[in-house]
Amino acid sequence: MTSPAEVSAATLGLTELHPLIQQFYAGQVRHLDAFRAEEFAATFTEDGVFDHRPGTDPLVGRQAIAAAVRGYQQTKHAADPVQRRHWFNMLQVFPQGDGTVRTEYYALVLHTRPGTPEPQVGPSCFVTDVLAVREDGEVLTKSRTVRQDHLV
Amino acid sequence: MTSPAEVSAATLGLTELHPLIQQFYAGQVRHLDAFRAEEFAATFTEDGVFDHRPGTDPLVGRQAIAAAVRGYQQTKHAADPVQRRHWFNMLQVFPQGDGTVRTEYYALVLHTRPGTPEPQVGPSCFVTDVLAVREDGEVLTKSRTVRQDHLV
Amino acid sequence: MTSPAEVSAATLGLTELHPLIQQFYAGQVRHLDAFRAEEFAATFTEDGVFDHRPGTDPLVGRQAIAAAVRGYQQTKHAADPVQRRHWFNMLQVFPQGDGTVRTEYYALVLHTRPGTPEPQVGPSCFVTDVLAVREDGEVLTKSRTVRQDHLV
């Protein structure tokens, strides 16, 4: 059986990869910001790793990732129902020899409270991903490492 | 007579559409942020619809859109001359069967006051557009719906 | 001898240039935000001009640009060690007849202090570059003019 990670993205160049991955990230954060836990988790590979905070264990696999999103929604969001928006920017894509694509980018989270037009801004983060990219355009996150700028 | 909206964008794929639309949006907000009312309105189709705020009537047509930009400049901006900057991000483009392209993206408005390096940030918005995209690369906004995150 | 600036980018269209230049800018700011002075300076042409602030002389040449980055690090950053992040957005690329590419974009600087998740935001800037773009994808900044929105 061939997993997406084993299918080479070698035939796709920067011209194709950059917009493809931007479109992928836009859809991925849309799921996250709407707390669609299963849909967000499904943007990772089955064995995807989400290392979202130093000092905590990485989330491994779609079930763990979905559970973390639901847990956040049921605790922090339930107590303080802000609209979160994840912004990614300054994206670099680096096709790897094994058919995956490593990416590096900045991320910023905005939190808007009902009735308050000025969002709370932060944290600012530096993120590194390894993506599985198939020639048909399907993209999945194999692993993500988030480093928040204030935790140094 | 063939309007841009009737010309199919079907032959353009994500690789062409994503940068094309980013370039279009950058030019469009440049007009808006400089209060070039007619030039901004001309980035919409003649019958373009700009639904910029729930609870108010959408602006319909270039004249109405240009008048709204001029009105904003002559009232709010005249009283408080900030430099506005519209930032769009996390763009998704969805080519439609009818030759138009639906887009979804986040938007953030920054307001800088003379002498104050830190801009006022917000509101944060979620925007959906329908664009007319011609194969020669001309893009026009047919309709825009803005939902501000703090108005829920 | 042929310098990158003399090699035409005329065969590259918007589809290639937009992602190429986004990737270039992402790498360029990564050097700047990490105070890799020589690497940042090497993203300019040998005679590159960096006009970063009205009322001050532009920096001319890689040595001057690198020295400015080191100077900033050894004074302002040493006294107040924030993590800076430069965000560019709303990019327009305009291929010129001479093989260079003029760009216009918004820029925003975020400063995160250790332990404080909310970055200081600003200044907001409008930037114009002239880039040397080679057909093999190498990009260098020939000149950059930064206008901070609060200095009007």
Side-chain angles (χ1 to χ4, degrees):
Chain A
M1 188 183 139
T2 307
S3 84
E6 295 168 289
V7 179
S8 175
T11 61
L12 297 178
L14 180 67
T15 301
E16 291 82 23
L17 285 173
H18 218 275
L20 177 66
I21 291 170
Q22 287 187 42
Q23 174 101 349
F24 167 70
Y25 282 147
Q28 186 180 51
V29 303
R30 220 80 85 212
H31 290 316
L32 180 60
D33 291 338
F35 295 112
R36 291 190 291 265
E38 269 66 35
E39 289 87 341
F40 175 70
T43 65
F44 286 75
T45 55
E46 279 289 353
D47 58 352
V49 177
F50 189 176
D51 176 8
H52 64 307
R53 193 184 168 100
T56 64
D57 287 336
L59 305 166
V60 179
R62 288 179 176 169
Q63 284 196 313
I65 292 169
V69 174
R70 274 195 306 270
Y72 185 94
Q73 181 180 22
Q74 291 165 359
T75 55
K76 290 200 70 163
H77 184 70
D80 183 15
V82 300
Q83 173 65 61
R84 283 201 303 177
R85 300 288 181 199
H86 285 78
W87 283 51
F88 296 172
N89 200 15
M90 307 319 287
L91 171 68
Q92 284 180 296
V93 308
F94 303 104
Q96 304 297 296
D98 63 356
T100 64
V101 178
R102 187 168 63 79
T103 66
E104 297 184 3
Y105 54 95
Y106 294 164
L108 189 68
V109 191
L110 306 175
H111 308 77
T112 297
R113 292 196 160 69
T116 304
E118 293 184 29
Q120 176 185 333
V121 177
S124 166
C125 307
F126 179 68
V127 188
T128 305
D129 282 356
V130 177
L131 304 177
V133 180
R134 296 210 305 196
E135 292 182 32
D136 67 2
E138 191 189 9
V139 182
L140 293 170
T141 303
K142 288 173 64 72
S143 67
R144 171 165 300 173
T145 304
V146 182
R147 291 295 169 257
Q148 301 186 22
D149 287 336
H150 67 292
L151 302 177
V152 287
Chain B
M1 190 182 140
T2 308
S3 85
E6 295 168 287
V7 178
S8 175
T11 60
L12 297 177
L14 179 68
T15 300
E16 292 82 24
L17 284 173
H18 218 277
L20 177 65
I21 291 170
Q22 287 186 43
Q23 175 100 348
F24 167 70
Y25 282 147
Q28 187 180 52
V29 303
R30 220 80 85 214
H31 291 315
L32 181 60
D33 291 340
F35 296 112
R36 292 189 291 264
E38 269 65 36
E39 289 86 341
F40 175 70
T43 65
F44 286 75
T45 54
E46 279 288 354
D47 57 351
V49 177
F50 190 176
D51 177 8
H52 63 307
R53 194 182 168 99
T56 63
D57 287 335
L59 305 167
V60 179
R62 288 179 175 168
Q63 284 196 313
I65 293 168
V69 174
R70 275 195 306 271
Y72 185 94
Q73 182 181 21
Q74 292 165 358
T75 56
K76 290 200 71 164
H77 183 70
D80 183 16
V82 301
Q83 174 65 60
R84 285 201 302 177
R85 300 288 182 198
H86 284 79
W87 284 51
F88 297 171
N89 199 15
M90 309 317 287
L91 171 68
Q92 284 179 296
V93 307
F94 303 105
Q96 304 296 297
D98 63 356
T100 64
V101 178
R102 188 169 62 81
T103 65
E104 298 184 3
Y105 53 95
Y106 293 165
L108 189 68
V109 191
L110 305 175
H111 308 79
T112 296
R113 291 196 160 67
T116 304
E118 294 184 28
Q120 176 185 331
V121 177
S124 165
C125 307
F126 179 68
V127 188
T128 305
D129 281 358
V130 177
L131 304 177
V133 180
R134 296 207 306 194
E135 292 180 32
D136 66 3
E138 190 189 9
V139 182
L140 293 170
T141 303
K142 288 174 63 69
S143 67
R144 171 165 299 174
T145 304
V146 182
R147 291 295 169 258
Q148 301 186 21
D149 287 337
H150 67 292
L151 301 178
V152 287
Chain C
M1 187 183 143
T2 305
S3 84
E6 295 168 289
V7 178
S8 175
T11 61
L12 297 178
L14 179 67
T15 301
E16 292 81 24
L17 285 174
H18 218 276
L20 177 66
I21 291 170
Q22 288 187 42
Q23 175 101 346
F24 167 70
Y25 282 146
Q28 188 180 52
V29 303
R30 220 80 86 214
H31 291 315
L32 181 59
D33 291 339
F35 296 112
R36 292 190 289 265
E38 268 65 36
E39 288 87 340
F40 175 71
T43 65
F44 286 75
T45 55
E46 279 289 353
D47 57 352
V49 177
F50 189 176
D51 177 7
H52 64 307
R53 194 183 168 101
T56 64
D57 286 336
L59 306 166
V60 179
R62 288 179 175 168
Q63 285 197 313
I65 293 169
V69 173
R70 275 195 306 272
Y72 185 94
Q73 181 181 24
Q74 291 165 358
T75 55
K76 290 201 70 163
H77 183 71
D80 182 16
V82 301
Q83 173 66 60
R84 282 202 304 176
R85 299 288 183 200
H86 285 78
W87 284 51
F88 296 171
N89 199 15
M90 308 317 288
L91 170 68
Q92 284 180 296
V93 308
F94 304 104
Q96 304 296 297
D98 64 355
T100 64
V101 178
R102 189 168 62 81
T103 65
E104 297 184 4
Y105 54 95
Y106 294 164
L108 189 68
V109 191
L110 305 175
H111 308 78
T112 296
R113 293 197 159 69
T116 304
E118 295 184 27
Q120 176 185 332
V121 177
S124 166
C125 306
F126 180 68
V127 188
T128 304
D129 281 359
V130 177
L131 304 176
V133 180
R134 295 209 305 195
E135 291 181 32
D136 67 2
E138 189 189 9
V139 183
L140 293 170
T141 302
K142 288 174 64 71
S143 66
R144 171 165 299 174
T145 304
V146 181
R147 291 296 168 259
Q148 300 186 22
D149 288 335
H150 67 292
L151 302 177
V152 287

